[in-house]
Amino acid sequence: DAKTTQPPSMDCAEGRAANLPCNHSTISGNEYVYWYRQIHSQGPQYIIHGLKNNETNEMASLIITEDRKSSTLILPHATLRDTAVYYCIVSLLSGYALNFGKGTSLLVTP
Amino acid sequence: GAVVSQHPSRVICKSGTSVKIECRSLDFQATTMFWYRQFPKQSLMLMATSNEGSKATYEQGVEKDKFLINHASLTLSTLTVTSAHPEDSSFYICSARYMAGGLDEQFFGPGTRLTVL
C-alpha cells in the first residue's frame, strides 16, 4: 500500500470548517483514499473514501487532486465532538488490513 | 453500518496470567477478522489476520505462541495473550471484514484496554 503523510496536529475553532490535508504521492491507479478517525480510547470510525472524484456524505467532504497525489478531508462545521485523530489511508479496499500511519490530531476549540 | 463488539472492554491482570479477548460480528458473518494493537500516543499496528477455519497470519515481530488467535466461527475471533507481562499492556482493537452486495469493508470494534500489573 502507498504511504501517506499528514501534519501531526491541527487546531480548529468550533463552527468553522476543518481542512485536513494528506499527501499520497505514490498512490497507484486502483487504490482508494480512505479516511477514518479515532476518538480517544475508541475504535476507528469510517468517515469517507474516494478514488478520483470528490465525495460528500453526511459527515464530511473529500477533495482529491486531479493527479491523485494529495487529498483534503473537510469537516464543514467542526464541533467539539470532532476532536480526534484523523487517519488518511490508501488501500485497494478497506476490507484489507489497513496501514494507519500516524494521523493528524485535530483539536476543536470553543 | 455493521456492528463489531469486543469483550471485555477493559481488563486488568497479574503478570504471568493469560487473558482472552473476544471479537464478535453481531449482524454479519466475517470470514476475515483483523487484530490491531495500539500503544499510548501511537497509531494502530496490525498484529495478525484471522481467517475462519484456518491458522492466523501474524505480522513480523508478533509472537504467534504468545498471542493465540482462534477464529472458530464466522462471527467470533478470540485473541489470547499468554503469560502476559507489563509490556503487553496496550489497547487491542479487532475489526471484521464485511463482504456483501458488492461491498468489501472493514468495521472496527470498540477496543479492549489491557493492563498487566
Side-chain angles (χ1 to χ4, degrees):
Chain A
D1 290 344
K3 291 187 177 178
T4 62
T5 303
Q6 299 177 251
S9 63
M10 294 183 65
D11 292 347
C12 177
E14 188 178 21
R16 306 296 291 267
N19 296 281
L20 290 86
C22 179
N23 287 323
H24 32 78
S25 58
T26 60
I27 190 170
S28 61
N30 54 355
E31 286 183 312
Y32 289 80
V33 179
Y34 289 90
W35 282 84
Y36 285 80
R37 73 179 183 184
Q38 185 181 26
I39 295 170
H40 183 63
S41 293
Q42 296 183 24
Q45 176 189 22
Y46 166 82
I47 301 173
I48 198 167
H49 75 281
L51 184 64
K52 286 193 276 191
N53 300 322
N54 298 337
E55 302 287 344
T56 296
N57 63 21
E58 64 277 5
M59 289 182 69
S61 294
L62 174 60
I63 308 298
I64 303 174
T65 58
E66 194 168 339
D67 63 6
R68 301 210 323 125
K69 292 184 177 182
S70 65
S71 61
T72 301
L73 177 74
I74 301 173
L75 307 179
H77 306 287
T79 71
L80 299 179
R81 286 176 294 190
D82 292 322
T83 291
V85 178
Y86 287 76
Y87 295 98
C88 168
I89 302 168
V90 292
S91 180
L92 291 172
L93 291 166
S94 75
Y96 292 178
L98 299 176
N99 180 359
F100 276 83
K102 297 183 179 180
T104 295
S105 178
L106 174 68
L107 175 64
V108 181
T109 56
Chain B
V3 179
V4 176
S5 70
Q6 283 185 242
H7 177 80
S9 58
R10 187 180 292 267
V11 58
I12 300 172
C13 70
K14 292 182 179 179
S15 186
T17 61
S18 295
V19 174
K20 181 185 284 188
I21 302 170
E22 293 184 347
C23 177
R24 293 182 185 273
S25 55
L26 296 186
D27 49 2
F28 67 101
Q29 294 183 328
T31 55
T32 301
M33 291 184 174
F34 303 98
W35 287 96
Y36 296 82
R37 178 169 56 181
Q38 185 175 32
F39 292 110
K41 298 190 184 301
Q42 295 187 24
S43 186
L44 284 78
M45 295 297 295
L46 179 68
M47 298 176 66
T49 301
S50 167
N51 292 301
E52 188 266 339
S54 64
K55 291 183 179 180
T57 304
Y58 291 81
E59 295 300 299
Q60 191 172 10
V62 178
E63 299 175 58
K64 63 180 181 182
D65 294 331
K66 180 170 183 61
F67 298 98
L68 302 179
I69 292 173
N70 184 284
H71 193 159
S73 80
L74 289 171
T75 59
L76 174 64
S77 176
T78 60
L79 168 68
T80 300
V81 183
T82 62
S83 188
H85 287 94
E87 58 265 29
D88 299 322
S89 298
S90 188
F91 192 49
Y92 291 86
I93 303 169
C94 75
S95 67
R97 188 176 185 182
Y98 174 83
M99 299 174 68
L103 296 174
D104 188 347
E105 299 181 23
Q106 188 174 158
F107 293 93
F108 289 84
T112 296
R113 174 81 55 194
L114 170 64
T115 302
V116 185
L117 302 176

